[in-house]
Coordinates of all heavy atoms in Angstrom, one line a residue:
M179 N 7.6 7.1 3.2 CA 6.5 6.8 2.4 C 5.7 8.1 2.2 O 5.5 8.9 3.0 CB 5.6 5.7 3.0 CG 4.4 5.5 2.3 SD 3.2 4.4 3.1 CE 2.8 5.2 4.6
N180 N 5.1 8.2 0.9 CA 4.3 9.4 0.6 C 2.8 9.0 0.6 O 2.3 8.7 -0.4 CB 4.8 10.0 -0.7 CG 4.1 11.2 -1.1 OD1 3.2 11.7 -0.3 ND2 4.4 11.7 -2.2
I181 N 2.2 9.0 1.8 CA 0.8 8.8 1.9 C 0.0 9.7 1.1 O -1.0 9.3 0.4 CB 0.3 8.7 3.3 CG1 1.0 7.6 4.1 CG2 -1.2 8.7 3.5 CD1 0.5 6.2 3.8
G182 N 0.4 11.0 1.0 CA -0.4 12.0 0.3 C -0.6 11.6 -1.2 O -1.5 12.0 -1.8
A183 N 0.5 10.9 -1.8 CA 0.3 10.5 -3.2 C -0.8 9.6 -3.4 O -1.3 9.4 -4.5 CB 1.7 10.0 -3.6
L184 N -1.2 8.8 -2.4 CA -2.2 7.9 -2.5 C -3.5 8.4 -2.1 O -4.6 7.8 -2.4 CB -1.9 6.6 -1.7 CG -0.6 5.8 -2.1 CD1 -0.3 4.8 -1.1 CD2 -0.8 5.3 -3.4
T185 N -3.6 9.5 -1.4 CA -4.9 10.0 -1.0 C -5.7 10.4 -2.1 O -5.3 11.2 -2.9 CB -4.6 11.3 -0.1 OG1 -3.7 10.8 1.0 CG2 -5.8 11.8 0.5
G186 N -7.0 9.9 -2.1 CA -8.0 10.2 -3.1 C -7.6 9.7 -4.5 O -8.2 10.1 -5.5
A187 N -6.7 8.7 -4.6 CA -6.2 8.3 -5.8 C -7.3 7.5 -6.7 O -7.3 7.4 -7.8 CB -5.1 7.2 -5.7
N188 N -8.4 7.1 -6.0 CA -9.4 6.3 -6.7 C -10.4 7.2 -7.5 O -11.0 6.7 -8.4 CB -10.2 5.4 -5.7 CG -9.3 4.4 -5.0 OD1 -8.5 3.8 -5.7 ND2 -9.5 4.2 -3.7
D189 N -10.7 8.4 -7.1 CA -11.6 9.2 -7.7 C -11.2 10.6 -8.2 O -12.0 11.4 -8.6 CB -12.9 9.4 -6.8 CG -12.5 10.1 -5.5 OD1 -11.4 10.6 -5.4 OD2 -13.4 10.1 -4.6
G190 N -9.9 10.8 -8.0 CA -9.4 12.1 -8.5 C -9.6 13.2 -7.5 O -9.0 14.3 -7.6
A191 N -10.4 13.1 -6.4 CA -10.7 14.2 -5.4 C -9.6 14.1 -4.4 O -9.2 13.0 -3.9 CB -12.1 13.9 -4.9
M192 N -9.1 15.2 -4.0 CA -8.1 15.3 -2.9 C -8.8 15.3 -1.6 O -9.8 16.1 -1.4 CB -7.2 16.5 -3.1 CG -6.4 16.4 -4.3 SD -5.6 14.8 -4.5 CE -4.2 15.1 -3.4
D193 N -8.4 14.5 -0.7 CA -9.0 14.3 0.6 C -7.9 14.2 1.6 O -6.9 13.7 1.2 CB -10.0 13.1 0.6 CG -10.8 12.9 1.8 OD1 -10.4 13.5 2.9 OD2 -11.8 12.2 1.8
D194 N -8.2 14.5 2.8 CA -7.1 14.3 3.9 C -7.0 12.9 4.4 O -6.0 12.6 5.0 CB -7.4 15.3 5.0 CG -7.1 16.7 4.6 OD1 -6.3 16.9 3.6 OD2 -7.6 17.6 5.4
S195 N -8.0 12.0 4.2 CA -8.0 10.7 4.7 C -7.5 9.7 3.7 O -8.2 9.6 2.6 CB -9.2 10.3 5.5 OG -10.3 10.8 4.8
P196 N -6.5 9.0 3.9 CA -6.0 8.0 2.9 C -7.1 6.8 2.7 O -7.7 6.4 3.7 CB -4.8 7.3 3.6 CG -4.3 8.4 4.5 CD -5.5 9.0 5.0
T197 N -7.2 6.4 1.5 CA -8.3 5.4 1.2 C -7.6 4.2 0.5 O -6.4 4.3 0.1 CB -9.3 6.0 0.2 OG1 -8.6 6.5 -1.0 CG2 -10.1 7.1 0.7
C198 N -8.4 3.1 0.5 CA -7.9 1.9 -0.1 C -7.5 2.1 -1.6 O -8.1 2.8 -2.3 CB -9.1 0.9 0.0 SG -8.7 -0.8 -0.7
S199 N -6.5 1.4 -2.0 CA -5.9 1.5 -3.4 C -6.7 0.6 -4.3 O -6.4 0.6 -5.6 CB -4.5 1.1 -3.4 OG -3.7 1.9 -2.6
A200 N -7.6 -0.3 -3.9 CA -8.4 -1.2 -4.8 C -9.2 -0.2 -5.7 O -9.9 0.8 -5.2 CB -9.3 -2.1 -4.0
K201 N -9.3 -0.7 -6.9 CA -10.1 0.1 -7.9 C -11.6 0.3 -7.4 O -12.3 -0.6 -7.1 CB -10.1 -0.5 -9.2 CG -10.8 0.3 -10.4 CD -10.7 -0.4 -11.7 CE -11.4 0.4 -12.7 NZ -11.2 -0.1 -14.0
G202 N -12.0 1.7 -7.4 CA -13.3 2.1 -7.0 C -13.7 2.1 -5.6 O -14.8 2.4 -5.1
C203 N -12.7 1.6 -4.7 CA -13.0 1.5 -3.3 C -12.7 2.9 -2.6 O -11.6 3.5 -3.0 CB -12.1 0.5 -2.6 SG -12.5 0.3 -0.9
R204 N -13.6 3.3 -1.8 CA -13.3 4.7 -1.1 C -13.2 4.5 0.4 O -13.3 5.4 1.2 CB -14.4 5.6 -1.5 CG -14.3 6.1 -2.9 CD -15.5 7.0 -3.2 NE -15.4 7.5 -4.6 CZ -15.8 6.9 -5.7 NH1 -16.2 5.7 -5.6 NH2 -15.7 7.4 -6.9
A205 N -13.1 3.2 0.8 CA -13.0 2.9 2.3 C -11.7 3.4 2.8 O -10.7 3.5 2.2 CB -13.1 1.4 2.5
P206 N -11.7 3.8 4.1 CA -10.5 4.2 4.8 C -9.5 3.1 4.7 O -9.7 1.9 4.9 CB -10.9 4.5 6.2 CG -12.4 4.6 6.2 CD -12.9 3.8 5.0
A207 N -8.2 3.6 4.6 CA -7.0 2.6 4.7 C -6.8 2.1 6.1 O -6.8 2.9 7.0 CB -5.8 3.4 4.2
Q208 N -6.7 0.8 6.2 CA -6.4 0.2 7.5 C -5.0 -0.6 7.4 O -4.5 -0.9 8.5 CB -7.5 -0.8 7.8 CG -8.8 -0.2 8.0 CD -9.9 -1.1 8.3 OE1 -10.1 -2.1 7.6 NE2 -10.6 -1.0 9.5
W209 N -4.5 -0.8 6.2 CA -3.3 -1.6 6.1 C -2.5 -1.0 5.0 O -2.9 -0.4 4.0 CB -3.7 -3.1 5.5 CG -4.4 -3.8 6.5 CD1 -5.9 -3.9 6.6 CD2 -3.9 -4.5 7.7 NE1 -6.2 -4.6 7.7 CE2 -5.1 -5.1 8.4 CE3 -2.7 -4.9 8.1 CZ2 -4.9 -5.9 9.5 CZ3 -2.5 -5.6 9.3 CH2 -3.6 -6.1 9.9
V210 N -1.1 -1.1 5.1 CA -0.2 -0.7 4.2 C 0.5 -2.0 3.6 O 1.0 -2.8 4.4 CB 0.9 0.2 4.8 CG1 2.0 0.5 3.7 CG2 0.3 1.5 5.3
L211 N 0.5 -2.2 2.3 CA 1.1 -3.2 1.6 C 2.4 -2.7 1.0 O 2.4 -2.0 0.1 CB 0.2 -3.9 0.6 CG -0.9 -4.7 1.1 CD1 -1.9 -3.9 1.8 CD2 -1.6 -5.5 -0.1
A212 N 3.5 -3.1 1.6 CA 4.9 -2.6 1.1 C 5.4 -3.6 0.1 O 5.3 -4.9 0.3 CB 5.8 -2.5 2.3
W213 N 5.8 -3.1 -1.1 CA 6.2 -4.0 -2.2 C 7.3 -3.4 -3.0 O 7.5 -2.2 -2.9 CB 5.0 -4.3 -3.1 CG 4.4 -3.2 -3.7 CD1 3.5 -2.3 -3.3 CD2 4.6 -2.8 -5.1 NE1 3.1 -1.4 -4.2 CE2 3.8 -1.7 -5.4 CE3 5.4 -3.2 -6.1 CZ2 3.8 -1.0 -6.6 CZ3 5.4 -2.6 -7.3 CH2 4.6 -1.5 -7.6
N214 N 8.0 -4.2 -3.9 CA 8.8 -3.7 -4.9 C 8.9 -4.7 -6.0 O 8.6 -5.9 -5.8 CB 10.1 -3.3 -4.4 CG 11.1 -4.4 -4.2 OD1 10.9 -5.6 -4.5 ND2 12.3 -4.1 -3.7
N215 N 9.1 -4.2 -7.2 CA 9.3 -5.1 -8.4 C 10.9 -5.2 -8.5 O 11.5 -4.3 -8.8 CB 8.7 -4.4 -9.6 CG 8.9 -5.2 -10.9 OD1 9.7 -6.1 -10.9 ND2 8.1 -4.9 -11.9
P216 N 11.4 -6.4 -8.3 CA 12.9 -6.6 -8.3 C 13.4 -6.3 -9.7 O 14.6 -6.0 -9.8 CB 13.0 -8.1 -7.8 CG 11.7 -8.7 -8.0 CD 10.7 -7.6 -7.9
K217 N 12.7 -6.4 -10.8 CA 13.2 -6.0 -12.1 C 13.3 -4.5 -12.2 O 14.1 -4.1 -13.2 CB 12.2 -6.6 -13.2 CG 12.3 -8.1 -13.2 CD 11.4 -8.5 -14.3 CE 11.3 -10.1 -14.4 NZ 10.4 -10.6 -15.4
L218 N 12.6 -3.7 -11.4 CA 12.7 -2.3 -11.6 C 13.3 -1.5 -10.4 O 13.8 -0.4 -10.6 CB 11.3 -1.7 -11.8 CG 10.5 -2.2 -13.0 CD1 9.0 -1.7 -13.0 CD2 11.2 -1.9 -14.3
H219 N 13.2 -2.1 -9.2 CA 13.6 -1.4 -8.0 C 14.7 -2.1 -7.3 O 14.9 -3.2 -7.3 CB 12.4 -1.3 -7.0 CG 11.2 -0.8 -7.7 ND1 9.9 -1.5 -7.7 CD2 10.9 0.4 -8.3 CE1 9.1 -0.8 -8.3 NE2 9.6 0.4 -8.7
T220 N 15.5 -1.3 -6.6 CA 16.6 -1.8 -5.8 C 16.0 -2.5 -4.6 O 14.8 -2.3 -4.2 CB 17.5 -0.7 -5.2 OG1 16.7 0.2 -4.5 CG2 18.2 0.1 -6.3
P221 N 16.6 -3.5 -4.1 CA 16.0 -4.4 -3.0 C 15.5 -3.6 -1.8 O 14.5 -4.0 -1.2 CB 17.2 -5.3 -2.6 CG 18.1 -5.3 -3.7 CD 18.0 -4.0 -4.4
E222 N 16.2 -2.5 -1.4 CA 15.7 -1.8 -0.2 C 14.5 -0.8 -0.5 O 13.8 -0.3 0.4 CB 16.8 -0.9 0.4 CG 17.4 0.1 -0.4 CD 18.4 -0.3 -1.5 OE1 18.7 -1.5 -1.5 OE2 18.7 0.5 -2.3
R223 N 14.2 -0.5 -1.7 CA 13.1 0.4 -2.1 C 11.7 -0.3 -1.8 O 11.6 -1.4 -2.1 CB 13.1 0.7 -3.6 CG 12.0 1.5 -4.0 CD 12.4 2.7 -4.9 NE 11.2 3.6 -5.2 CZ 10.8 3.9 -6.3 NH1 11.5 3.6 -7.4 NH2 9.7 4.7 -6.5
R224 N 10.8 0.6 -1.3 CA 9.4 0.1 -1.0 C 8.4 1.0 -1.6 O 8.4 2.2 -1.2 CB 9.2 -0.1 0.5 CG 10.0 -1.2 1.2 CD 9.6 -2.6 0.7 NE 10.4 -3.6 1.4 CZ 11.5 -4.2 0.8 NH1 11.9 -3.8 -0.4 NH2 12.1 -5.2 1.4
K225 N 7.6 0.4 -2.5 CA 6.4 1.2 -3.0 C 5.3 0.7 -2.0 O 5.4 -0.3 -1.3 CB 6.1 0.7 -4.4 CG 7.2 0.8 -5.4 CD 7.4 2.2 -5.9 CE 6.3 2.4 -6.9 NZ 6.2 3.8 -7.5
T226 N 4.2 1.5 -2.0 CA 3.1 1.1 -1.0 C 1.7 1.2 -1.8 O 1.5 2.0 -2.6 CB 3.0 2.0 0.1 OG1 2.9 3.4 -0.2 CG2 4.3 1.9 1.0
W227 N 0.9 0.3 -1.3 CA -0.5 0.3 -1.6 C -1.2 0.3 -0.3 O -0.7 -0.2 0.7 CB -1.0 -1.0 -2.4 CG -0.7 -0.9 -3.8 CD1 -0.1 0.0 -4.6 CD2 -1.0 -2.0 -4.7 NE1 0.0 -0.4 -5.9 CE2 -0.5 -1.6 -6.0 CE3 -1.5 -3.3 -4.6 CZ2 -0.6 -2.4 -7.1 CZ3 -1.6 -4.1 -5.7 CH2 -1.3 -3.7 -6.9
L228 N -2.3 1.0 -0.2 CA -3.2 1.0 0.9 C -4.4 0.1 0.7 O -4.8 -0.1 -0.4 CB -3.7 2.5 1.2 CG -2.6 3.5 1.4 CD1 -3.2 4.9 1.6 CD2 -1.6 3.1 2.5
A229 N -4.8 -0.5 1.9 CA -5.9 -1.5 1.7 C -6.9 -1.4 2.9 O -6.5 -1.1 4.0 CB -5.5 -2.9 1.7
C230 N -8.2 -1.5 2.6 CA -9.2 -1.6 3.7 C -9.2 -3.1 4.1 O -8.5 -3.9 3.5 CB -10.6 -1.1 3.1 SG -11.2 -2.2 1.8
A231 N -9.9 -3.4 5.1 CA -10.1 -4.7 5.6 C -10.5 -5.7 4.5 O -10.0 -6.8 4.4 CB -10.9 -4.9 6.8
E232 N -11.5 -5.2 3.7 CA -12.1 -6.1 2.7 C -11.2 -6.4 1.5 O -11.2 -7.5 1.0 CB -13.3 -5.3 2.1 CG -14.1 -6.2 1.1 CD -15.3 -5.4 0.4 OE1 -15.7 -4.3 1.0 OE2 -15.8 -5.9 -0.5
H233 N -10.3 -5.5 1.2 CA -9.4 -5.7 0.0 C -8.0 -6.1 0.4 O -7.2 -6.4 -0.6 CB -9.5 -4.4 -0.8 CG -10.7 -4.2 -1.5 ND1 -11.5 -3.1 -1.2 CD2 -11.3 -4.9 -2.5 CE1 -12.6 -3.2 -1.9 NE2 -12.5 -4.3 -2.7
R234 N -7.7 -6.2 1.6 CA -6.3 -6.6 2.0 C -5.8 -7.9 1.5 O -4.7 -7.9 0.8 CB -6.2 -6.6 3.6 CG -4.8 -6.9 4.0 CD -4.8 -7.1 5.5 NE -4.0 -8.3 5.8 CZ -4.1 -8.9 7.0 NH1 -4.8 -8.5 7.9 NH2 -3.4 -9.9 7.1
E235 N -6.6 -8.9 1.6 CA -6.2 -10.2 1.1 C -6.1 -10.2 -0.4 O -5.1 -10.8 -1.0 CB -7.2 -11.3 1.5 CG -6.8 -12.7 1.2 CD -5.5 -13.1 1.9 OE1 -5.2 -12.7 3.0 OE2 -4.8 -14.0 1.3
H236 N -7.0 -9.6 -1.1 CA -7.0 -9.7 -2.6 C -5.8 -8.9 -3.1 O -5.0 -9.4 -4.0 CB -8.3 -9.0 -3.1 CG -8.3 -8.7 -4.6 ND1 -8.4 -9.7 -5.5 CD2 -8.1 -7.6 -5.3 CE1 -8.3 -9.2 -6.7 NE2 -8.1 -7.9 -6.6
L237 N -5.5 -7.7 -2.6 CA -4.3 -7.0 -3.0 C -3.1 -7.7 -2.6 O -2.1 -7.7 -3.4 CB -4.3 -5.5 -2.4 CG -5.5 -4.6 -2.9 CD1 -5.5 -3.3 -2.2 CD2 -5.4 -4.4 -4.5
S238 N -3.1 -8.3 -1.4 CA -1.8 -9.0 -1.0 C -1.6 -10.2 -2.0 O -0.4 -10.5 -2.3 CB -2.0 -9.6 0.4 OG -2.1 -8.5 1.3
Q239 N -2.6 -10.9 -2.3 CA -2.5 -12.0 -3.3 C -2.0 -11.6 -4.7 O -1.1 -12.2 -5.3 CB -3.8 -12.8 -3.4 CG -4.1 -13.7 -2.2 CD -5.4 -14.4 -2.4 OE1 -6.1 -14.3 -3.4 NE2 -5.8 -15.2 -1.3
F240 N -2.5 -10.5 -5.1 CA -2.1 -9.9 -6.4 C -0.6 -9.7 -6.4 O 0.1 -10.1 -7.3 CB -2.8 -8.6 -6.7 CG -2.5 -7.9 -8.0 CD1 -3.1 -8.3 -9.2 CD2 -1.5 -7.0 -8.0 CE1 -2.9 -7.7 -10.3 CE2 -1.2 -6.4 -9.3 CZ -1.8 -6.8 -10.4
L241 N -0.1 -9.0 -5.4 CA 1.4 -8.7 -5.3 C 2.1 -10.0 -5.0 O 3.2 -10.1 -5.5 CB 1.6 -7.6 -4.2 CG 1.0 -6.3 -4.5 CD1 1.1 -5.4 -3.2 CD2 1.7 -5.6 -5.6
G242 N 1.7 -10.9 -4.2 CA 2.3 -12.0 -3.7 C 2.6 -13.0 -4.8 O 3.7 -13.6 -4.9
V243 N 1.6 -13.3 -5.7 CA 1.9 -14.2 -6.8 C 2.9 -13.7 -7.8 O 3.5 -14.5 -8.5 CB 0.6 -14.6 -7.6 CG1 -0.4 -15.3 -6.6 CG2 -0.1 -13.4 -8.2
R244 N 3.2 -12.4 -7.8 CA 4.2 -11.8 -8.7 C 5.6 -11.8 -8.0 O 6.6 -11.4 -8.5 CB 3.8 -10.4 -9.1 CG 2.6 -10.6 -10.1 CD 1.8 -9.3 -10.2 NE 0.7 -9.4 -11.2 CZ -0.5 -10.0 -10.9 NH1 -0.7 -10.6 -9.8 NH2 -1.4 -10.1 -11.9
G245 N 5.6 -12.1 -6.6 CA 6.8 -12.0 -5.9 C 7.2 -10.6 -5.5 O 8.3 -10.3 -5.1
F246 N 6.2 -9.7 -5.4 CA 6.4 -8.3 -5.2 C 6.2 -7.9 -3.7 O 6.8 -7.1 -3.2 CB 5.5 -7.4 -6.0 CG 5.8 -7.4 -7.5 CD1 4.9 -6.6 -8.3 CD2 6.8 -8.1 -8.1 CE1 5.1 -6.7 -9.7 CE2 7.0 -8.1 -9.4 CZ 6.1 -7.4 -10.3
L247 N 5.3 -8.6 -3.1 CA 4.9 -8.3 -1.6 C 6.0 -8.5 -0.7 O 6.6 -9.6 -0.6 CB 3.7 -9.1 -1.2 CG 3.1 -8.6 0.1 CD1 2.6 -7.3 0.1 CD2 1.9 -9.7 0.5
K248 N 6.4 -7.4 0.1 CA 7.4 -7.5 1.1 C 6.9 -7.5 2.5 O 7.5 -8.1 3.4 CB 8.5 -6.4 0.9 CG 9.1 -6.4 -0.5 CD 9.8 -7.7 -0.8 CE 10.3 -7.6 -2.2 NZ 10.7 -8.9 -2.7
D249 N 5.8 -6.8 2.8 CA 5.3 -6.6 4.2 C 3.9 -6.1 4.1 O 3.6 -5.4 3.2 CB 6.3 -5.6 4.9 CG 6.2 -5.7 6.4 OD1 5.5 -6.6 6.9 OD2 6.8 -4.9 7.1
V250 N 3.1 -6.5 5.1 CA 1.8 -6.0 5.4 C 1.8 -5.5 6.8 O 2.0 -6.3 7.7 CB 0.7 -7.1 5.1 CG1 -0.7 -6.5 5.4 CG2 0.8 -7.6 3.7
V251 N 1.5 -4.2 7.0 CA 1.6 -3.6 8.2 C 0.2 -2.8 8.5 O -0.2 -2.1 7.6 CB 2.8 -2.6 8.3 CG1 2.9 -1.9 9.6 CG2 4.0 -3.4 7.9
P252 N -0.3 -2.8 9.7 CA -1.4 -1.9 10.0 C -1.0 -0.4 9.7 O 0.1 0.0 10.0 CB -1.6 -2.1 11.5 CG -1.1 -3.4 11.8 CD 0.1 -3.6 10.9
F253 N -2.0 0.3 9.2 CA -1.8 1.7 8.7 C -1.2 2.5 9.9 O -0.2 3.3 9.7 CB -3.0 2.3 8.2 CG -2.8 3.7 7.6 CD1 -2.2 3.9 6.5 CD2 -3.3 4.8 8.4 CE1 -2.1 5.2 6.0 CE2 -3.1 6.0 7.9 CZ -2.5 6.3 6.7
A254 N -1.8 2.4 11.0 CA -1.3 3.2 12.2 C 0.1 2.9 12.6 O 0.8 3.8 12.9 CB -2.3 3.0 13.4
E255 N 0.5 1.7 12.5 CA 1.9 1.3 12.8 C 2.8 1.9 11.8 O 3.9 2.4 12.1 CB 2.0 -0.2 12.8 CG 3.4 -0.7 13.2 CD 3.5 -2.2 13.2 OE1 2.5 -2.9 13.7 OE2 4.5 -2.7 12.8
W256 N 2.4 1.8 10.5 CA 3.3 2.4 9.4 C 3.4 3.9 9.6 O 4.6 4.4 9.4 CB 2.6 2.1 8.1 CG 3.5 2.4 6.9 CD1 3.5 3.6 6.2 CD2 4.4 1.6 6.2 NE1 4.5 3.6 5.2 CE2 5.0 2.3 5.2 CE3 4.8 0.3 6.4 CZ2 6.0 1.8 4.3 CZ3 5.8 -0.2 5.6 CH2 6.3 0.6 4.5
E257 N 2.4 4.6 9.9 CA 2.4 6.0 10.2 C 3.4 6.3 11.3 O 4.2 7.2 11.3 CB 1.1 6.6 10.5 CG 0.2 6.9 9.3 CD -1.0 7.7 9.7 OE1 -1.6 7.4 10.7 OE2 -1.3 8.7 8.9
S258 N 3.4 5.5 12.4 CA 4.2 5.7 13.6 C 5.7 5.5 13.2 O 6.5 6.3 13.5 CB 3.9 4.7 14.7 OG 2.6 5.0 15.2
R259 N 5.9 4.5 12.3 CA 7.3 4.3 11.9 C 7.7 5.4 11.0 O 8.9 5.9 11.1 CB 7.3 3.0 11.0 CG 7.2 1.7 11.7 CD 7.4 0.6 10.6 NE 7.1 -0.7 11.1 CZ 7.1 -1.8 10.3 NH1 7.4 -1.7 9.0 NH2 6.7 -2.9 10.9
S260 N 6.9 5.9 10.1 CA 7.3 7.0 9.3 C 7.6 8.3 10.1 O 8.5 9.0 9.8 CB 6.2 7.3 8.3 OG 6.0 6.2 7.4
A261 N 6.8 8.6 11.1 CA 7.0 9.7 11.9 C 8.3 9.6 12.7 O 9.1 10.5 12.9 CB 5.8 9.8 12.9
A262 N 8.6 8.4 13.2 CA 9.8 8.1 13.9 C 11.1 8.3 13.0 O 12.2 8.7 13.4 CB 9.8 6.8 14.5
D263 N 10.9 8.0 11.8 CA 12.1 8.1 10.8 C 12.2 9.5 10.3 O 13.3 9.8 9.7 CB 11.8 7.2 9.6 CG 11.9 5.7 9.9 OD1 12.4 5.4 11.0 OD2 11.3 4.9 9.1
G264 N 11.3 10.4 10.6 CA 11.5 11.8 10.3 C 10.9 12.1 9.0 O 11.1 12.9 8.2

């Protein structure tokens, strides 16, 4: 996963701390929402959105009703998995 691609995505400013992917939100990321669009992506591919506690449910529902949501993982756990995968 490329967390750096999502960092500062809401305001164009580059920052070292990942923020929520919800429009206009600058809160720190607490959750990773892993998803894919089966019409565009292979089944094993995972795209990611980051979410703060406030927007986790809204973003999950947005992806869920489209059949895109695959997993919701605490950000710290996702980072640990990514580090272990190299």
Side-chain angles (χ1 to χ4, degrees):
M179 176 181 68
N180 184 358
I181 293 290
L184 297 172
T185 302
N188 296 321
D189 60 8
M192 294 312 279
D193 187 340
D194 287 341
S195 36
T197 59
C198 180
S199 297
K201 185 176 181 178
C203 185
R204 290 179 178 78
Q208 296 177 308
W209 297 92
V210 175
L211 286 65
W213 63 278
N214 80 5
N215 180 340
K217 292 182 180 179
L218 302 174
H219 308 122
T220 58
E222 65 279 352
R223 174 133 186 231
R224 292 295 180 264
K225 305 278 285 177
T226 56
W227 281 357
L228 302 179
C230 64
E232 180 181 350
H233 292 113
R234 179 184 137 198
E235 187 61 31
H236 171 74
L237 293 173
S238 294
Q239 286 179 357
F240 180 89
L241 293 168
V243 298
R244 290 158 179 79
F246 295 176
L247 186 64
K248 303 302 178 192
D249 203 4
V250 178
V251 181
F253 182 78
E255 182 180 323
W256 188 271
E257 278 191 315
S258 295
R259 286 185 194 175
S260 294
D263 291 342

